[in-house]
Amino acid sequence: MRLLHPRYGVLSFRSYLCRCTGYEPILQAATHMDASAWVPLAERYCPAEYLKTFSTLNADEIIVTGTDKKVYAPARLQEALQIKARHPDVRLVSGATDLGVVHNKGRAFLDHVLILNRIEELQRLEHTAQGLWVGSRVSLTDFENFTASLYPEMSRLMRIFASPQIKNQGTLLGNVLNGSPIGDSLPGLMVLNAELHLQSVRGSRVVPLTSFYRGYKTFDLQTDEIATGLVIPPLPADWKLKLYKVSLRKDLDISAVTFAASLRLHQGQILEARIALGGVGPTVVRLSDIEKDLQGQKFTEALFVAAGKKAAAHIKPISDLRASEDYRRKVAENLFHKCFVELNTEMIPSSVEVTP
Amino acid sequence: MSVGQNIPHDSSRGHVTGGSVFVDDRPFTQKEVFVLPVGVPAAAGTLKKVDVQAALQAAGVLAAFTAADLHHNCWGTIVQEQPILVQDRIGYYDEPAALLVGTSTEALLRARPLVKFDIEKAAPIFSIDEAIAQNSFIYKAHPFMCGNADEALKKAPHRLSGVFECGGQEHFYMESQACIAYPLEDGQMEIHSSSQHPSETQHVVAEALGLHLHQVVCIVKRMGGGFGGKESQAAPFAAMAALVAQKMRRPARLCLSKDDDMVMTGKRHPFKNFYEVGFDDDGKILALKAQLYADGGAYADLSSSILDRAMFHIDGAYYLPHAHIEGAVCRTNFHSNTAFRGFGGPQGTMTIESIIEDIAYHLKKDAFTVREVNCYGKDQNNVTHYGQHLDHNPLPDLFARIKQDAEYIRRREDIEKFNAQNTGKVRGLSATATKFGIAFTARFLNQGNALVNVHKDGTVQVSTGATEMGQGVNTKIQQIVAHALGLPADDVKVMATSTEKNHNTSPTAASSGSDINGAAALKGALAIQKRIAWLFQNILDGTPMNDTAECPPLDESRLNLEDFEFAHRTVTHKPSGQSFPWVELVKKAYFNRMSLGEYAHFKTEGLGFDKARSLGTPFNYFTNGVAVSEVELDTWTGEYKVLRSDILMDLGRPINPGIDKGQVTGAFIQGMGWVTTEKLSYSKDGRLLTHSPTTYKIPNVQDTPRVFTVAFIENNENHRNVHRSKAVGEPPFLLGISVWTALKDALKYKALSVPQLKSPATPEELLMELARHE
């Protein structure tokens, strides 16, 4: 008899909503069953001989044509690029964690789609000379696990990003290319100076994430281009990273405001600063004015309180169903203060000056 | 014996394995069609014309129907005033106005945008304030007066006045409104509905289609959650499906998507309550004057009864020596608000709990002591503001024990220290109580009937008017009947609820499902028990029972029922020690041509409330409980977590303590959701924006208290209910309020004046209040 740890139970049920039980009876049941009887789905449904058959079939391009419907599922990137060049309006489908919902609700009909899931070239997740390469098919879970030691703060944010099931299915690039001003990964990626790699039959190019977003869900992206991956430069040891996601509910919620700061500190001095905010305008933004204000200054509470006030005055958030303009401003302002206090607490013993 | 035991819910295995059948799991039948209601894109005005021509041309669309196709287009549980499909006057945005019928849901979703509405818009009413200003009311309650509130207020050493506001709440049952209508021969109609009220569904369908009641049968196997949302509002959707089935002579399936369900159906009533309270130096309330306003939405629905219950529960657990309570339901241009677990009770009780917190702040006292001072007494101060006496009042004991069990005093000290030492974080601690009146306040609803059939192998089928929505009423009835006949619970099956077996039933609501239907089933089972005992007595007496002689009719003088014990599938005559297997007596009864079935009717005795004087005994008894919650608030963002909640309840002698515990945890978390993250947002033109889990946030597992305990006190005194149990469905919902008062308590540590907090206390609501005190 092997029992599940209660904490594991809680984490496993993050993705479910229950309106009847208050979760307590479900957790009780989960933590009292014999987990040794459990057979993983992969063992149950994907024995080795199946996988072998799948891998031989995997080399073939698949096209399914129905009445007024067409699905392309290429096995190679080149095929995908050619399809995208011929059919610029085709919908790209990868994790489908967003499109799937819209489709189920009958708000978008996926009649003409290009599925990227079978392209192995897009699965790469590895260190390169330029930094961490995250292929466009890399799942949020794989990214979270891979970055646990590299960017622990990023990995921590990924824990409340979404449920395990969604993170297994959804991709980091999906979050980037969905391009929402409240995309949870974006402020962090922006202060890490991530770069997006785009490819088409015409060739390839690299776009810094900070210049990719041109307006609300409009991008520096041609109709024949497919994003193949993202490069995240390494963060040297003298840099600090802080990421916040503020939402109505802690888990399984879409943010009202997101915040990212990366600071290069040396003996109580801010050598370099990068700050990004999400949910305060049509795109996630880097606050270059405030970055300049912080650079070269002493790392003090007063500096951050002032920076927060300036940021709040500078941004133009809207009121919508998630939060009001006033709340977004106030949170943006306060997160600067919170960022200071938390970093300051982490840096012990501290040589920095704290104003009362 | 079965009663009092923790047998599993009769559907638990089915729910886990997928074996349980819900309406939309029913297999497709030949020629079956799908029905999609289409809502109007305006909140107020007149619908001039619905143009379905373009939609009818779309692939897979077979037909479309509008108001003109209904025989009778008006329904309402209390007042008939709501159209099934918009006739001319528009009540709210997305109110169903047309039905599209097709061969698949996808075809209907593609065609939906092609339905065009010609609308003459009018000025809508989108708030309680606007409704008051425009004198737009659905109902004004008769005031509740006790003592002389004005006089007592004048004399009170302290007075506070203010306004308490709470928002609505989406039921968020996992199974949306769902119905399949099967046209039968001779114009009859069989309805399978996800309904808490099959009788009303039957009635509304019959009336809408121009049928007599005996031509319509409504069957409810189970619901995937109801919470009140399917008490009245399942019926119009059943009528829509039935209309299609009648017109097309094909089975018609109408199962709403979550989004459509949320925009089309009513929610918990938002309230705005104005009050003035007078109290002494100890915080003892001397008088309360309150004016309650409920947002009823566009139509009456159950709003008047809901407001009444809010007024009944504005005392919470606290004695009001002088009170003057008035109430009105506003008519606005929102979905018609409806029953939701607590039925106005939470909105009333939360008002007084908020007032208590304010009194404590004003007097610089711990709110727990203010609650102790005001708590209803055992021997005195135990009559409510509507004149009902509290029998065996356990509230003082509940407060005393939770104070110990939850280590209230030590934790208060810890919190004081924590809050003094931390920046960016502040903690709060608070207790609240529930004293929930059990009975429908409309007396005629407090009746039920049951059919108990014993089969020749000794197994039993029971049917009642109760509907199973996950709350476990079937399991409790199964236990009650098994217990009475001395059978293991597995020998008893509770059948699908059907109006052809149990008619003129009341909704499964007001927490009374097990009380009323369990009592009726018990009555039926006991009648059969008596018959079997009589047969046994005749065996003992040597009465000839053979091809020429049968068991004679019952002669009470010859039967001492107490002599017979029904246990372990065996009936024993205790004085003689003789026994027979149950099944043998059942077979013998059959061959003696004795009835092995019983139809029983039950009504709750002792209820009476004089509406004109607002005085009397509206409730059979009260279910009581207390909870203590502790929260930690992030003062930079307004985000918070619940560190610990302890619940202590008086549930009498539970029929199934495990099921009751599940009801308590479920209700508490649902109540907590109402007062924290569950915020309904509307666009400027009145469209609900939070219509799916993407935007409407019910608590998830991470939101539950980090430490969460539930305990019951022992109480054997509730002789007014079946097996001395107490109803459990709604009462613990009110304990979720303790999370809100704990947040309010946390604010007190940063406040410069009485903290102002609306419900739900979203992070935004909390942060903006904190900002006010900076």
Side-chain angles (χ1 to χ4, degrees):
Chain A
M1 178 101 168
R2 186 166 67 83
L3 297 178
L4 293 178
H5 189 270
R7 192 66 207 151
Y8 180 84
V10 169
L11 293 177
S12 307
F13 283 104
R14 268 184 307 176
S15 39
Y16 299 95
L17 291 176
C18 176
R19 192 53 150 172
C20 282
T21 63
Y23 302 97
E24 182 63 21
I26 299 176
L27 291 176
Q28 289 293 326
T31 50
H32 283 81
M33 67 181 186
D34 183 2
S36 63
W38 174 65
V39 182
L41 289 179
E43 274 175 42
R44 201 177 287 198
Y45 297 113
C46 294
E49 68 261 39
Y50 283 23
L51 292 176
K52 207 173 138 194
T53 316
F54 287 146
S55 64
T56 54
L57 291 173
N58 226 6
D60 301 331
E61 181 179 27
I62 300 171
I63 299 173
V64 182
T65 309
T67 318
D68 306 325
K69 289 183 181 178
K70 195 152 195 172
V71 176
Y72 302 93
R76 274 173 290 274
L77 179 60
Q78 272 313 314
E79 290 164 359
L81 294 173
Q82 278 158 19
I83 295 162
K84 190 76 173 88
R86 281 202 307 275
H87 307 284
D89 292 336
V90 74
R91 280 306 282 266
L92 294 187
V93 176
S94 181
T97 53
D98 193 37
L99 268 186
V101 175
V102 183
H103 173 77
N104 285 347
K105 292 185 174 198
R107 289 212 306 265
F109 296 98
L110 299 177
D111 293 340
H112 201 207
V113 298
L114 168 53
I115 295 173
L116 302 178
N117 301 25
R118 301 178 62 243
I119 304 173
E120 271 197 42
E121 296 146 272
L122 301 178
Q123 307 275 9
R124 275 167 50 219
L125 174 61
E126 62 198 14
H127 294 288
T128 66
Q130 289 76 39
L132 179 65
W133 170 265
V134 186
S136 56
R137 280 290 304 140
V138 171
S139 73
L140 292 159
T141 300
D142 287 344
F143 178 69
E144 176 182 336
N145 294 339
F146 204 81
T147 52
S149 57
L150 210 56
Y151 312 105
E153 180 70 1
M154 183 62 110
S155 188
R156 186 193 59 79
L157 178 83
M158 300 306 291
R159 286 209 287 274
I160 54 166
F161 186 105
S163 66
Q165 287 88 335
I166 292 293
K167 285 189 289 190
N168 288 344
Q169 182 72 16
T171 60
L172 182 70
L173 269 282
N175 195 240
V176 169
L177 287 150
N178 184 283
S180 165
I182 42 179
D184 282 337
S185 70
L186 304 185
L189 293 173
M190 279 199 185
V191 299
L192 289 168
N193 281 349
E195 291 177 324
L196 196 56
H197 286 237
L198 305 173
Q199 209 172 326
S200 70
V201 287
R202 294 176 290 114
S204 60
R205 63 191 180 106
V206 179
V207 182
L209 207 53
T210 44
S211 63
F212 181 66
Y213 303 105
R214 297 192 158 164
Y216 180 72
K217 295 220 173 190
T218 56
F219 315 120
D220 178 6
L221 182 70
Q222 300 301 308
T223 55
D224 61 349
E225 284 178 326
I226 292 176
T228 53
L230 192 72
V231 170
I232 309 173
L235 194 69
D238 55 346
W239 285 76
K240 295 283 172 195
L241 181 65
K242 266 286 161 202
L243 304 174
Y244 298 120
K245 161 187 165 79
V246 178
S247 51
L248 176 56
R249 192 174 63 193
K250 196 74 200 160
D251 276 80
L252 300 187
D253 200 357
I254 295 163
S255 304
V257 177
T258 53
F259 172 100
S262 67
L263 304 168
R264 192 171 157 219
L265 295 168
H266 182 68
Q267 292 181 344
Q269 197 87 13
I270 303 168
L271 300 182
E272 283 179 76
R274 301 180 203 145
I275 310 276
L277 279 174
V280 297
T283 66
V284 175
V285 284
R286 276 276 294 270
L287 304 177
S288 49
D289 285 359
I290 290 171
E291 290 174 1
K292 279 185 204 126
D293 289 351
L294 298 180
Q295 264 154 32
Q297 300 295 315
K298 277 194 141 186
F299 181 68
T300 63
E301 189 164 15
L303 180 71
F304 276 74
V305 169
K309 287 206 191 304
K310 186 169 175 181
H314 180 80
I315 55 176
K316 291 186 181 63
I318 55 161
S319 290
D320 66 11
L321 74 172
R322 295 191 209 286
S324 71
E325 179 188 342
D326 289 347
Y327 177 68
R328 289 191 156 110
R329 253 183 233 287
K330 187 72 191 162
V331 168
E333 178 186 336
N334 288 356
L335 286 176
F336 280 84
H337 194 183
K338 182 173 180 163
C339 174
F340 171 82
V341 171
E342 291 192 354
L343 281 179
N344 196 38
T345 316
E346 285 166 27
M347 293 184 294
I348 38 165
S350 154
S351 59
V352 298
E353 179 189 325
V354 183
T355 50
Chain B
M1 301 301 274
S2 193
V3 162
Q5 284 185 353
N6 279 331
I7 68 165
H9 189 286
D10 73 340
S11 297
S12 56
R13 228 164 250 280
H15 286 356
V16 171
T17 58
S20 300
V21 175
F22 295 85
V23 170
D24 206 14
D25 293 327
R26 294 180 63 77
F28 292 101
T29 48
Q30 250 189 341
K31 292 192 170 180
E32 188 169 309
V33 293
F34 293 88
V35 185
L36 181 74
V38 186
V40 277
T46 309
L47 178 61
K48 308 293 253 188
K49 187 170 175 277
V50 184
D51 181 1
V52 294
Q53 285 316 309
L56 283 172
Q57 301 306 310
V61 176
L62 300 172
F65 298 98
T66 59
D69 296 301
L70 285 154
H71 173 83
H72 180 82
N73 186 23
C74 190
W75 73 284
T77 313
I78 298 172
V79 190
Q80 276 217 354
E81 59 153 28
Q82 180 166 1
I84 293 165
L85 294 170
V86 178
Q87 187 88 34
D88 38 44
R89 198 183 77 84
I90 295 167
Y92 62 97
Y93 204 108
D94 279 320
E95 182 176 8
L99 301 174
L100 282 183
V101 186
T103 51
S104 74
T105 305
E106 188 183 323
L108 296 176
L109 290 173
R110 284 177 189 260
R112 176 154 65 179
L114 303 174
V115 178
K116 297 297 171 204
F117 297 98
D118 182 5
I119 292 165
E120 198 178 287
K121 287 193 185 176
I125 296 177
F126 285 148
S127 70
I128 287 173
D129 291 336
E130 285 170 48
I132 296 169
Q134 296 182 40
N135 203 26
S136 173
F137 294 108
I138 288 171
Y139 168 77
K140 285 191 179 174
H142 200 275
F144 284 42
M145 318 263 253
C146 84
N148 187 336
D150 283 314
E151 200 59 34
L153 271 174
K154 255 187 245 161
K155 288 187 196 151
H158 305 276
R159 275 189 297 278
L160 279 174
S161 62
V163 53
F164 168 77
E165 279 183 83
C166 56
Q169 185 182 26
E170 162 62 33
H171 300 83
F172 216 94
Y173 28 66
M174 292 293 149
E175 179 203 29
S176 296
Q177 302 282 359
C179 175
I180 308 177
Y182 300 91
L184 306 180
E185 61 187 59
D186 198 22
Q188 294 177 59
M189 195 63 69
E190 183 174 306
I191 306 289
H192 287 258
S193 171
S194 180
S195 169
Q196 288 174 249
H197 198 349
S199 287
E200 186 182 10
T201 302
Q202 172 204 18
H203 298 174
V204 171
V205 166
E207 204 166 27
L209 270 49
L211 300 175
H212 292 290
L213 297 183
H214 71 317
Q215 291 173 289
V216 180
V217 175
C218 178
I219 299 166
V220 178
K221 174 63 186 161
R222 62 164 61 78
M223 282 161 275
F227 310 115
K230 296 168 180 171
E231 181 174 346
S232 63
Q233 297 202 359
F237 294 99
M240 293 173 205
L243 170 71
V244 173
Q246 186 190 44
K247 293 283 180 189
M248 299 181 75
R249 296 178 192 282
R250 295 170 75 161
R253 183 178 297 241
L254 190 162
C255 298
L256 291 182
S257 67
K258 182 89 295 181
D259 297 69
D260 285 349
D261 187 292
M262 286 184 77
V263 299
M264 288 177 178
T265 65
K267 329 238 166 281
R268 182 183 298 284
H269 288 64
F271 270 66
K272 185 166 187 175
N273 302 336
F274 298 85
Y275 62 84
E276 194 177 358
V277 64
F279 48 97
D280 67 14
D281 293 342
D282 296 330
K284 189 168 173 52
I285 295 173
L286 303 172
L288 176 69
K289 263 188 98 168
Q291 168 72 53
L292 281 58
Y293 291 102
D295 181 347
Y299 303 104
D301 199 272
L302 300 163
S303 295
S304 52
S305 291
I306 289 163
L307 175 69
D308 288 346
R309 190 169 276 270
M311 292 166 71
F312 281 123
H313 285 79
I314 196 156
D315 58 340
Y318 314 107
Y319 175 63
L320 303 175
H322 299 274
H324 180 165
I325 315 297
E326 300 206 9
V329 178
C330 300
R331 193 187 293 278
T332 61
N333 290 102
F334 291 119
H335 39 69
S336 187
N337 287 326
T338 191
F340 193 152
R341 203 176 202 167
F343 205 77
Q347 294 96 321
T349 293
M350 197 166 172
T351 307
I352 192 83
E353 296 289 9
S354 177
I355 291 172
I356 296 247
E357 292 291 329
D358 292 352
I359 292 173
Y361 183 88
H362 184 83
L363 296 174
K364 302 290 170 219
K365 282 180 178 296
D366 190 304
F368 201 102
T369 62
V370 178
R371 288 188 166 87
E372 287 173 320
V373 160
N374 285 290
C375 182
Y376 276 112
K378 283 171 175 268
D379 305 316
Q380 52 178 357
N381 297 346
N382 60 359
V383 178
T384 65
H385 57 296
Y386 46 87
Q388 179 155 3
H389 188 272
L390 305 184
D391 297 325
H392 304 290
N393 173 26
L395 285 163
D397 298 340
L398 288 166
F399 271 115
R401 202 179 124 184
I402 197 103
K403 195 175 187 178
Q404 292 296 319
D405 292 358
E407 298 179 275
Y408 186 91
I409 292 167
R410 177 190 63 76
R411 285 165 64 202
R412 172 63 71 191
E413 288 165 2
D414 291 350
I415 286 170
E416 303 272 350
K417 268 184 231 147
F418 179 91
N419 289 348
Q421 287 165 1
N422 275 275
T423 21
K425 281 178 187 149
V426 62
R427 288 183 177 174
L429 179 71
S430 180
T432 62
T434 182
K435 174 191 94 336
F436 202 80
I438 305 300
F440 289 97
T441 53
R443 190 182 61 181
F444 68 90
L445 291 174
N446 294 290
Q447 60 174 319
N449 59 68
L451 180 64
V452 182
N453 285 339
V454 177
H455 292 274
K456 281 191 274 181
D457 65 352
T459 61
V460 185
Q461 289 179 325
V462 188
S463 309
T464 74
T467 55
E468 175 65 48
M469 60 196 94
Q471 86 280 41
V473 66
N474 281 2
T475 311
K476 289 184 180 177
I477 291 172
Q478 179 189 13
Q479 286 176 271
I480 289 169
V481 171
H483 190 86
L485 301 178
L487 301 173
D490 282 347
D491 286 7
V492 178
K493 279 244 178 288
V494 179
M495 308 306 291
T497 314
S498 166
T499 55
E500 87 184 301
K501 286 180 289 182
N502 303 98
H503 67 317
N504 300 336
T505 55
S506 297
T508 306
S511 304
S512 66
S514 302
D515 288 19
I516 291 172
N517 297 284
L522 178 61
K523 214 169 158 182
L526 290 177
I528 294 170
Q529 189 204 59
K530 193 171 188 178
R531 234 169 271 153
I532 295 292
W534 171 243
L535 174 71
F536 198 154
Q537 184 64 50
N538 280 283
I539 296 170
L540 291 167
D541 295 349
T543 309
M545 286 181 270
N546 51 41
D547 288 348
T548 57
E550 283 181 327
C551 183
L554 174 67
D555 174 357
E556 297 273 2
S557 67
R558 276 179 53 209
L559 179 67
N560 184 12
L561 200 53
E562 313 268 285
D563 289 347
F564 297 90
E565 186 186 71
F566 289 71
H568 312 298
R569 287 201 184 114
T570 305
V571 187
T572 306
H573 181 248
K574 288 185 283 187
S576 70
Q578 273 207 55
S579 67
F580 283 101
W582 160 256
V583 65
E584 211 167 295
L585 292 172
V586 165
K587 279 183 185 147
K588 199 160 182 71
Y590 173 75
F591 285 111
N592 276 276
R593 295 192 289 179
M594 294 167 78
S595 170
L596 286 165
E598 184 70 13
Y599 172 87
H601 179 264
F602 170 83
K603 61 172 183 164
T604 312
E605 301 290 351
L607 302 176
F609 185 71
D610 180 354
K611 275 210 157 185
R613 291 163 57 227
S614 293
L615 214 61
T617 308
F619 302 117
N620 189 25
Y621 60 90
F622 295 88
T623 295
N624 307 286
V626 288
V628 173
S629 290
E630 181 178 349
V631 297
E632 183 178 297
L633 175 63
D634 179 324
T635 55
W636 282 305
T637 62
E639 295 170 296
Y640 47 82
K641 52 189 169 191
V642 185
L643 300 178
R644 177 172 164 182
S645 291
D646 297 276
I647 297 173
L648 183 62
M649 287 211 67
D650 155 39
L651 296 176
R653 291 207 303 206
I655 289 167
N656 187 319
I659 281 178
D660 282 4
K661 191 180 173 206
Q663 285 288 298
V664 172
T665 53
F668 179 87
I669 297 300
Q670 194 174 45
M672 183 189 90
W674 173 52
V675 299
T676 55
T677 54
E678 294 187 36
K679 188 177 165 65
L680 294 160
S681 290
Y682 299 84
S683 71
K684 283 194 189 75
D685 48 5
R687 192 162 55 94
L688 179 69
L689 297 173
T690 46
H691 52 72
S692 81
T694 318
T695 45
Y696 185 76
K697 297 295 164 184
I698 69 168
N700 88 343
V701 68
Q702 295 276 69
D703 301 314
T704 59
R706 298 290 193 274
V707 178
F708 193 18
T709 72
V710 177
F712 302 152
I713 58 163
E714 199 178 302
N715 175 2
N716 297 318
E717 302 304 322
N718 192 33
H719 297 272
R720 302 187 59 82
N721 193 31
V722 59
H723 286 295
R724 303 189 207 175
S725 64
K726 284 197 173 189
V728 66
E730 293 163 290
F733 180 94
L734 283 69
L735 296 177
I737 294 168
S738 62
V739 174
W740 185 86
T741 50
L743 287 164
K744 194 161 165 155
D745 183 64
L747 286 179
K748 287 180 187 172
Y749 287 93
K750 301 279 173 189
L752 307 171
S753 57
V754 176
Q756 302 295 309
L757 188 63
K758 288 180 195 168
S759 175
T762 59
E764 171 163 351
E765 180 72 22
L766 290 158
L767 189 71
M768 297 327 274
E769 176 60 13
L770 282 169
R772 204 172 66 83
H773 296 284
E774 270 175 11

